[in-house]
Amino acid sequence: MNNQETEIQLIQITKKFGNFTAVQNVNLEIHHGEFFSLLGPSGCGKTTTLRMIAGLEEPTEGQICLAGEDVTYKPAYLRNVNTVFQDYALFPHMTVEENIYFPLKMKKVKYSSARAMIEEALSLVNMTGFGKRYPQQLSGGQRQRIALARSLVNRPRALLLDEPLGALDFKLRIAMQKVLKDIQKNVDITFIYVTHDQTEAITMSDRICVMKDGVIHQIGTPDEIYNSPESTFVASFIGDMNFLEGQVVQKGENSVTIDVDGKPIISTRFEGTFSKGDSVVACIRPEKICLDKMCDSEFQNKFENHFQASIHRIVFRGTDYEITLKFGQSEIRLIESASEFNNKKIGDQLFIGFQKDDVITYLKECKKVCDYETNLDN
Amino acid sequence: MNKTSTLKRKGKSFPFLGIYGAFVYFYLYFPLLVVFVYSLNSSRSTMKFEGVTFDWYIRLFQNKELLNSLFHSLQVSGLAVLFAVVVGTSGALFLNRIEFKGKDFFRTLAMLPIILPGIIVGLSLLIFFLNLKLQLSMWTVILGHISFTTPVVMFQVLARLARLSRNLENAAMDLGANPFQAFIYVTFPMIKRAVIGGALLAFTMSFDEIIITYFLTSTFNTLPIYLYGMLRFGLSPEVYAISTVVLGLSILLIILMAKYTGSSEETIIIR
C-alpha cells in the first residue's frame, strides 16, 4: 500500500448483454500491490467486471488500462493478468506440475528451466511434493492452492480471483483467507478479489468496492465501508444493521432529531439533505447499543439516545446473545456477551442507549428502502 | 436413498425379472449364435450340422469379388468417417460456442439424416445427384454416408462439450494460450475420447449401411451390397461365414467405442 501507482484503471465501463445492462458507468482505480475486493450480491456485475479486466469479456463502452496501457480490446492471452476461477479450472488431463508449467510453456519457457519456478510456486502455496498428482486426486482446498500456484507462476501484474473460496467449507475458507493474504504479501502482486461474502471482504481487503445492479455504491477501506456506509444498501449489506423508520422533527446544523414510534432519536451523521417532516431511516449497528436495567444519570450522560423498550426475542449464538427489543411497532436488535446476559427474559422492560454519533440517517427513498428490505429477506 | 432401497426390494420380489431379461438376450443373440455355428458346418445344408470345418472362411479369402467389396466398404467408411470427424467436430464446437437465431432448428435439421428412414435419405439424395447430373460412383456413395456419419460424430462431441466447463478454455487463454493453442492443449485432449468414440460408432453404422448405398451406387459394390447379392442364390455357409466376420468386426468396434466414450452418460444412444 506504500506504492500508490495505478495498476488497473477502469474508465466509464459499461457492459450490456442484449437489453440487460450488467455493468454501468464503472470507474475504478486500483493501486499496485493492493488487495482490492469487488463485493456485492449475486448478479451485481462484479464477476463481469473481473472478466472484462481479464479480457474474457469486452466492454460495450469505456476503457480499461493496465499499467498505463490501454488494453480494452486486447485478448486475454496477451494481457499480463491471471485469473483464479471459482471452479479452479485445473486441466484434468494434466498433472499438477503440467498445470503449473502451462503458462510458462505458453511463454516458450523450456521445461528444464521452468522446473525451479514450478517448485517455487508449489512451495509458495505449501503444496511441495504434489507435482505428480492429477487434480482429481486432490481435495477442494488443495485444488484451490494449485490454481493459485498456476496463476502466480509467471508473475502477472495482477491476480484476479473470482469467488475462489466459494466452494470450500467454513473452516477451510477461514484458513485459505489467511493463506491468500500471506501469499499476497509475499509476492507483492495486485489482487482483485470478487466475493459476495462481506466478512471475507472486510477481513482481507485494503479497499472494497460495493456494487449492486451493475452500479458502484461505494469504494473505500473496510473501516470506511463498515462505519460510514453511503447508502442503506451498503449499510445493510455490510455487517448487521438496525433500520429505524421515522420522521424528521428537528433539523439542526450538525444534528437531526427523528421521531421513531414516539421516541426522539438524535443523529449527527446523515447522507443528503432533508427538512422537517421528511421520512427517513436511522441506522445503528447492534454492537453500538447498550442495555441497562436502570436509566441513571451516568447512562443518560453517556448516551444521548435512551429510552425504554421490552425484550421481544432472545437468540443464543454461542459466544453472545442477540436480543430483540420492541417499542411501539419498531424493533431494535443488539448484541450482549454471555457474561453480561444475566438471565434476561422475554417481556423484561429495559433501557437501551446509544450515542448520537453512531446513528446514520438516510432519506427514505422508495428504492433505497426496497434495497435493504430485499436484503433483509435474504 | 429411498428410491434405491425400494428398487432393491422390488428386484427381490420379482425373480421373473431375471428370467425375462435372459429371454430378451436369448431372443437377440440366439440367431447370431446359429449363424456362427452353421458357418462351421462342413455340409452345404443349412438344416443339418455334419461336422466342423473352416473351409467356408478359407473360400471367403479366395473370393476376389468379395474381397474387393470389403475393400470398397473400408474405403467408403474410412473416408466418410474422416470427413465426419473434421466437420462434425467443428460443427459441435460451433453449436456449443456460437449463439444464433434458429439454433435449435438448425440442430434438429442436422439430426435428421440419422432419424429419417434410409430409404427417404437415399431416394432424396439420388434425385438430388441426378439433377446435378452427377455420375453414380464411389463418391456419391461416400457423400451419402457423410450425411449420417457427420451428425453422429457431431452429437457425440456436442454431448461431451456440454459437460465441459467453458472455464477450462478461458483459463488456458487467461494463462497465455492463443485460441489455437487453447484448442490443441486443452479443449481437444478433453474431447478426444468423444471424437474417437463418435468416429467408431459412425464407422460401424457406415460399414453395414445398405439402403442409402443401394440408391447411390451403380456398379460399385460395398460389402453389404455384395452380401445382399449373394443371398439371392440362397443361404449358404459362405454367407454365414462372412456374416460372422462382419459381426465380429462390429463387436470389436463397439467394444473399442465403449472403451473410448467411457461412461455411458457420454454416449447418446442413436441406434
Side-chain angles (χ1 to χ4, degrees):
Chain A
M1 273 300 281
N2 351 344
N3 199 337
Q4 284 287 314
E5 73 178 273
T6 302
E7 188 81 72
I8 292 162
Q9 203 177 5
L10 272 67
I11 305 161
Q12 288 290 320
I13 288 291
T14 295
K15 175 68 185 178
K16 288 182 179 153
F17 295 104
N19 290 328
F20 174 71
T21 307
V23 174
Q24 200 173 5
N25 283 332
V26 161
N27 286 293
L28 274 182
E29 218 168 279
I30 300 164
H31 309 305
H32 174 79
E34 193 173 29
F35 198 115
F36 190 90
S37 288
L38 293 167
L39 173 67
S42 50
C44 74
K46 53 192 194 299
T47 297
T48 308
T49 306
L50 195 80
R51 288 172 62 85
M52 285 191 284
I53 299 173
L56 298 169
E57 214 81 70
E58 218 170 67
T60 315
E61 283 164 47
Q63 198 183 16
I64 299 172
C65 293
L66 182 59
E69 181 201 0
D70 182 355
V71 296
T72 316
Y73 300 105
K74 223 174 181 186
Y77 60 93
L78 294 178
R79 292 189 197 191
N80 200 3
V81 292
N82 288 346
T83 311
V84 175
F85 292 88
Q86 190 171 10
D87 59 2
Y88 318 136
L90 293 174
F91 307 132
H93 58 293
M94 298 184 195
T95 62
V96 164
E97 214 171 65
E98 287 164 344
N99 262 287
I100 299 176
Y101 177 49
F102 188 81
L104 299 170
K105 186 163 143 189
M106 293 304 113
K107 285 195 168 171
K108 308 254 184 294
V109 180
K110 284 219 174 67
Y111 182 72
S112 49
S113 36
R115 270 214 65 94
M117 294 161 91
I118 296 170
E119 280 308 316
E120 194 199 324
L122 277 172
S123 79
L124 184 70
V125 294
N126 237 332
M127 288 288 286
T128 312
F130 284 83
K132 299 286 178 227
R133 298 213 197 169
Y134 280 91
Q136 303 87 283
Q137 297 169 307
L138 303 176
S139 72
Q142 290 171 331
R143 285 181 208 187
Q144 175 63 66
R145 287 168 196 235
I146 298 306
L148 209 58
R150 185 180 67 175
S151 299
L152 286 168
V153 72
N154 60 355
R155 294 296 144 117
R157 288 204 74 97
L159 188 69
L160 315 177
L161 301 105
D162 185 6
E163 307 225 8
L165 310 183
L168 304 179
D169 65 60
F170 178 72
K171 278 196 170 166
L172 199 53
R173 207 156 63 218
I174 303 296
M176 279 305 292
Q177 286 177 6
K178 293 199 183 97
V179 172
L180 269 177
K181 198 70 191 147
D182 288 347
I183 288 173
Q184 200 244 347
K185 269 186 206 143
N186 277 336
V187 294
D188 188 37
I189 286 173
T190 311
F191 274 39
I192 304 178
Y193 192 90
V194 161
T195 182
H196 64 262
D197 183 335
Q198 42 103 5
T199 327
E200 213 166 89
I202 286 192
T203 51
M204 298 172 77
S205 319
D206 295 320
R207 284 197 305 150
I208 299 171
C209 166
V210 185
M211 292 180 77
K212 182 174 191 289
D213 297 333
V215 179
I216 293 181
H217 271 244
Q218 190 173 355
I219 302 175
T221 62
D223 184 347
E224 285 164 357
I225 298 274
Y226 187 83
N227 290 316
S228 319
E230 282 170 9
S231 68
T232 46
F233 168 69
V234 177
S236 69
F237 194 72
I238 316 289
D240 202 359
M241 187 65 99
N242 283 297
F243 295 94
L244 303 170
E245 292 180 25
Q247 277 77 40
V248 176
V249 288
Q250 201 189 330
K251 174 80 171 68
E253 190 133 322
N254 299 316
S255 71
V256 60
T257 309
I258 307 140
D259 175 85
V260 178
D261 262 313
K263 312 285 185 196
I265 290 175
I266 310 163
S267 161
T268 57
R269 294 162 64 194
F270 33 88
E271 293 290 332
T273 52
F274 26 72
S275 45
K276 199 173 164 184
D278 280 350
S279 291
V280 291
V281 183
C283 298
I284 172 92
R285 297 272 180 211
E287 70 271 17
K288 303 280 191 192
I289 306 172
C290 275
L291 198 59
D292 210 330
K293 284 203 169 79
M294 309 266 282
C295 192
D296 51 19
S297 58
E298 191 196 345
F299 190 80
Q300 289 185 13
N301 282 339
K302 194 173 169 198
F303 304 110
E304 295 83 356
N305 296 303
H306 50 84
F307 50 83
Q308 206 180 20
S310 63
I311 295 182
H312 180 61
R313 197 183 305 126
I314 298 172
V315 179
F316 177 56
R317 307 198 305 181
T319 52
D320 52 27
Y321 289 86
E322 184 191 82
I323 303 172
T324 309
L325 294 105
K326 216 167 179 175
F327 58 101
Q329 291 303 306
S330 301
E331 286 188 3
I332 193 161
R333 273 169 303 122
L334 57 92
I335 308 297
E336 220 170 38
S337 66
S339 58
E340 288 170 4
F341 180 67
N342 241 338
N343 288 327
K344 295 187 173 76
K345 286 187 295 294
I346 290 173
D348 283 0
Q349 292 282 328
L350 294 163
F351 289 92
I352 51 180
F354 46 91
Q355 291 175 336
K356 60 181 180 181
D357 290 349
D358 289 332
V359 185
I360 312 171
T361 309
Y362 304 91
L363 201 57
K364 180 179 163 179
E365 295 165 37
C366 179
K367 188 182 169 294
K368 291 259 166 95
V369 173
C370 297
D371 277 358
Y372 73 72
E373 277 176 355
T374 48
N375 200 266
L376 291 176
D377 285 345
N378 294 343
Chain B
M1 285 299 275
N2 242 333
K3 225 174 180 179
T4 46
S5 62
T6 358
L7 280 179
K8 258 184 192 166
R9 236 180 297 137
K10 267 189 180 170
K12 267 183 192 161
S13 55
F14 289 101
F16 316 109
L17 264 180
I19 299 168
Y20 176 69
F23 184 75
V24 169
Y25 272 84
F26 179 79
Y27 175 75
L28 286 175
Y29 287 101
F30 188 69
L32 299 178
L33 190 70
V34 170
V35 167
F36 172 63
V37 169
Y38 276 91
S39 73
L40 301 171
N41 195 356
S42 60
S43 137
R44 266 208 96 85
S45 161
T46 53
M47 307 303 283
K48 276 187 290 178
F49 195 85
E50 289 177 1
V52 175
T53 176
F54 286 98
D55 275 1
W56 307 112
Y57 287 91
I58 294 159
R59 276 175 98 166
L60 282 185
F61 289 97
Q62 290 161 345
N63 185 339
K64 268 260 168 64
E65 257 183 280
L66 185 128
L67 287 179
N68 244 342
S69 67
L70 174 71
F71 177 68
H72 287 162
S73 267
L74 291 174
Q75 223 175 349
V76 166
S77 300
L79 286 171
V81 166
L82 190 72
F83 183 90
V85 162
V86 175
V87 176
T89 305
S90 7
L93 284 166
F94 173 76
L95 279 180
N96 183 250
R97 301 292 156 83
I98 314 286
E99 290 302 326
F100 57 92
K101 261 197 180 146
K103 185 171 168 174
D104 285 339
F105 182 66
F106 180 81
R107 208 200 312 251
T108 313
L109 273 189
M111 181 97 84
L112 273 187
I114 319 177
I115 300 170
L116 282 180
I119 200 155
I120 306 281
V121 177
L123 188 62
S124 24
L125 280 173
L126 177 67
I127 294 166
F128 181 62
F129 291 152
L130 289 181
N131 277 331
L132 286 176
K133 307 247 181 309
L134 279 177
Q135 277 285 328
L136 292 183
S137 67
M138 177 180 90
W139 298 106
T140 50
V141 173
I142 290 176
L143 283 175
H145 280 222
I146 281 172
S147 75
F148 66 88
T149 52
T150 305
V152 166
V153 175
M154 186 169 90
F155 285 106
Q156 289 280 326
V157 177
L158 199 57
R160 176 79 185 115
L161 281 174
R163 301 196 314 124
L164 214 62
S165 164
R166 269 310 292 278
N167 269 351
L168 289 174
E169 203 174 76
N170 279 338
M173 299 217 257
D174 186 71
L175 294 168
N178 64 37
F180 178 72
Q181 287 171 316
F183 179 77
I184 293 299
Y185 291 119
V186 176
T187 309
F188 185 71
M190 315 258 17
I191 60 170
K192 192 171 68 188
R193 292 163 74 95
V195 173
I196 295 173
L200 288 170
L201 180 62
F203 189 90
T204 322
M205 288 172 72
S206 162
F207 192 70
D208 52 25
E209 209 291 325
I210 184 157
I211 303 167
I212 295 174
T213 318
Y214 201 78
F215 273 96
L216 300 177
T217 189
S218 52
T219 55
F220 180 79
N221 265 356
T222 61
L223 186 64
I225 300 270
Y226 181 79
L227 266 177
Y228 185 68
M230 270 174 95
L231 284 179
R232 269 183 282 185
F233 306 107
L235 291 168
S236 68
E238 213 170 354
V239 173
Y240 291 153
I242 183 68
S243 299
T244 306
V245 171
V246 172
L247 181 69
L249 207 67
S250 299
I251 288 176
L252 185 77
L253 283 175
I254 286 166
I255 290 171
L256 276 179
M257 191 197 76
K259 194 185 149 225
Y260 272 104
T261 42
S263 50
S264 56
E265 57 184 319
E266 271 175 37
T267 319
I268 334 171
I269 308 301
I270 292 173
R271 287 182 106 186

